[in-house]
Amino acid sequence: MTVSIQLEVNGKPVQAEVEPRRLLVHFLREDLGLTGANIGCETSLCGACTILVDGNAVKSCTMLAAQADGAAVTTIEGLARNGELHPLQDGFWEKHGLQCGYCTPGMILSANYLLEQNPSPSDEEIREGLKGNICRCTGYHNIVEAVKYAAERMS
Amino acid sequence: MYPAQFDYRRAGSVDEALGLLQEHEDAKLMAGGHSLIPMMKLRLAQPPVVIDIGRLDELKGISEAGGGVRVGALTTHADIAASDILAASCPVLAEAAGHIGDAQVRNRGTIGGNIAHADPGSDLPPVLVLLGASVHLQSPSGARSVAAADFFQDLLMTDVGEDEILTHVDVPAQSAGAGAAYLKFEHPASGYAVVGAAASVTVQHGRCTAAGLVIGGVGAVPTAVDVSSLVGADLSDDAIATAASGLDTEDPLGDIFASGDYRVHVGKVYGKRALAAARDRA
């Protein structure tokens, strides 16, 4: 069987027929070509696949595409506005918040969710907010700096 | 990694979900999917039919009910952690929910899915047992409730019948003079509790009138520790340590990360710390 889904992805309406077992991350990457959400651990631990669903950070490897029917989804591809990087993207650039970059899309969307909830978080709150995102390169220090940089510019 | 094939049905009401359960043998209910989808990806669960109940608003939300708090089965951990009602009447449940996994997991995982899955490393079961919560179940033949202490039957096994849906959990409000705390020793990768300790202490007129301690992660189901020696006692650190050392499980869980003996030891340490934290809040 297939399931009919209609959703909004980065502001654009999308309609599709998906297999029930189609995971949202596979739908985004393979059906829509939005490869920003990465597949890391596949066990909802690493956070590389983090996206926003109706404004909430979620791990798209642990959600069925069918569950996203009717939702508004934001991926890393949807953050820049009119060719200008989002302050978080700018912050990761300016503060060297990435090395290999694999975790970065998920980090930025988790950070985006955190700043929606708490516009001026402490270092500790940033680390807690990004607990669900694993980075094996940076040691996290510059990621925290990047989020602080963005928080200042967004306030 | 993706699940085996299944048919997907979305229920528009509890009654419709109950009907679908009757209709499809071995169907599984899915709320947020944060217990079931990982099981399906690992092919530990291969239900032929998944009934998505994630949109049933009637099962969502937190409200005051009969001197306690009613938490709908589909309420997310994030909503429980942020609830003003729970902060006022039962803060330890909010505290435990705020320690589950991470922000993304808390945004999708629900209390109903969590306790119906009954993972021994889950944070909510010991807290619900400690609080004397009741779990409400509905079937085509009617509704019933079961005490949290009886709800958890064995590893990943609960009292939910094949034709039943978990609708809500009722939690008694903490009484005046009561303090409670949940502390966990967390697996650094998974975020599950290797050991979780839920404790409560009631102090009236300077005397301890009630105390409770329930440990998760050590046994297949939450393990209650007899801490009645604290009633009437001075609640000194020594008295608390002695009470917490009563943790006893015949056949403790063990895995590559933490042996059974180690879990029991950590359970006593965290039990002591949780009781002390509860005392300080009472």
Side-chain angles (χ1 to χ4, degrees):
Chain A
M1 77 177 287
T2 61
V3 184
S4 240
I5 58 171
Q6 285 187 49
L7 61 163
E8 194 183 285
V9 179
N10 297 330
K12 294 182 192 130
V14 173
Q15 194 168 7
E17 296 284 325
V18 293
E19 241 193 316
R21 64 174 170 172
R22 192 78 163 152
L23 297 168
L24 183 54
V25 70
H26 290 141
F27 174 70
L28 293 170
R29 290 177 57 87
E30 293 164 24
D31 296 352
L32 303 186
L34 297 170
T35 53
N38 284 322
I39 299 174
C41 70
E42 302 215 47
T43 51
S44 57
L45 301 178
C46 81
C49 64
T50 300
I51 58 166
L52 302 181
V53 175
D54 293 328
N56 291 320
V58 305
K59 294 179 176 176
S60 58
C61 78
T62 308
M63 186 167 170
L64 303 175
Q67 289 178 293
D69 184 24
V73 167
T74 304
T75 69
I76 190 73
E77 289 91 343
L79 281 192
R81 287 273 175 276
N82 306 319
E84 287 219 2
L85 291 181
H86 185 279
L88 275 162
Q89 293 172 306
D90 194 30
F92 273 69
W93 180 322
E94 287 296 328
K95 295 294 178 181
H96 197 56
L98 65 140
Q99 288 175 32
C100 88
Y102 201 82
C103 72
T104 311
M107 283 286 178
I108 287 181
L109 286 156
S110 284
N112 190 326
Y113 173 71
L114 169 70
L115 295 180
E116 286 284 326
Q117 309 275 310
N118 180 359
S120 50
S122 65
D123 284 21
E124 197 182 329
E125 287 167 337
I126 292 171
R127 287 178 183 273
E128 174 60 30
L130 298 180
K131 188 181 156 196
N133 295 74
I134 293 173
C135 170
R136 296 290 79 150
C137 302
T138 62
Y140 300 99
H141 177 84
N142 284 356
I143 291 177
V144 175
E145 294 299 312
V147 175
K148 280 158 65 179
Y149 174 97
E152 280 170 24
R153 270 148 193 81
M154 288 165 75
S155 60
Chain B
M1 215 162 56
Y2 45 87
Q5 285 186 325
F6 58 89
D7 281 351
Y8 175 88
R9 297 281 184 279
R10 187 180 295 153
S13 67
V14 171
D15 285 343
E16 189 185 350
L18 288 170
L20 288 165
L21 266 183
Q22 296 274 75
E23 200 178 314
H24 300 284
E25 201 179 341
D26 296 329
K28 288 289 279 183
L29 298 168
M30 181 178 287
H34 269 46
S35 298
L36 185 56
I37 293 176
M39 294 275 282
M40 290 170 67
K41 288 170 73 172
L42 293 167
R43 311 279 170 120
L44 294 172
Q46 299 194 25
V49 177
V50 167
I51 302 166
D52 185 353
I53 55 169
R55 292 160 194 255
L56 301 184
D57 286 338
E58 57 194 297
L59 299 185
K60 288 179 189 167
I62 298 167
S63 56
E64 291 173 26
V69 181
R70 175 159 297 182
V71 185
L74 292 179
T75 311
T76 62
H77 306 314
D79 286 341
I80 293 172
S83 163
D84 291 338
I85 293 175
L86 284 171
S89 326
C90 192
V92 68
L93 182 58
E95 179 178 40
H99 280 111
I100 293 174
D102 50 55
Q104 295 99 307
V105 168
R106 293 192 292 272
N107 279 337
R108 292 291 301 169
T110 66
I111 186 172
N114 178 297
I115 65 174
H117 180 59
D119 192 296
S122 171
D123 298 290
L124 299 182
V127 177
L128 295 175
V129 171
L130 173 84
L131 295 171
S134 58
V135 181
H136 293 255
L137 304 162
Q138 196 169 327
S139 72
S141 54
R144 69 185 178 104
S145 76
V146 55
D150 300 323
F151 177 80
F152 301 102
Q153 296 185 332
D154 206 338
L155 207 64
L156 306 179
M157 285 180 66
T158 69
D159 193 34
V160 182
E162 285 189 0
D163 60 347
E164 287 183 313
I165 289 181
L166 198 168
T167 54
H168 59 275
V169 179
D170 278 341
V171 187
Q174 280 177 227
S175 55
Y182 176 74
L183 294 179
K184 78 192 272 195
F185 176 62
E186 186 173 314
H187 189 287
S190 74
Y192 275 102
V194 176
V195 168
S200 66
V201 170
T202 306
V203 177
Q204 282 171 339
H205 310 298
R207 280 171 53 84
C208 174
T209 55
L213 176 63
V214 181
I215 308 290
V218 172
V221 298
T223 308
V225 183
D226 180 2
V227 292
S228 56
S229 65
L230 292 176
V231 175
D234 61 358
L235 293 178
S236 65
D237 288 349
D238 283 347
I240 280 174
T242 304
S245 69
L247 170 64
D248 187 24
T249 307
E250 273 186 20
D251 190 17
L253 298 173
D255 60 17
I256 194 168
F257 183 77
S259 68
D261 288 348
Y262 178 67
R263 283 171 193 260
V264 171
H265 174 75
V266 174
K268 290 174 182 175
V269 173
Y270 274 70
K272 177 180 71 178
R273 293 180 189 171
L275 278 169
R279 171 197 63 196
D280 296 343
R281 292 173 180 181

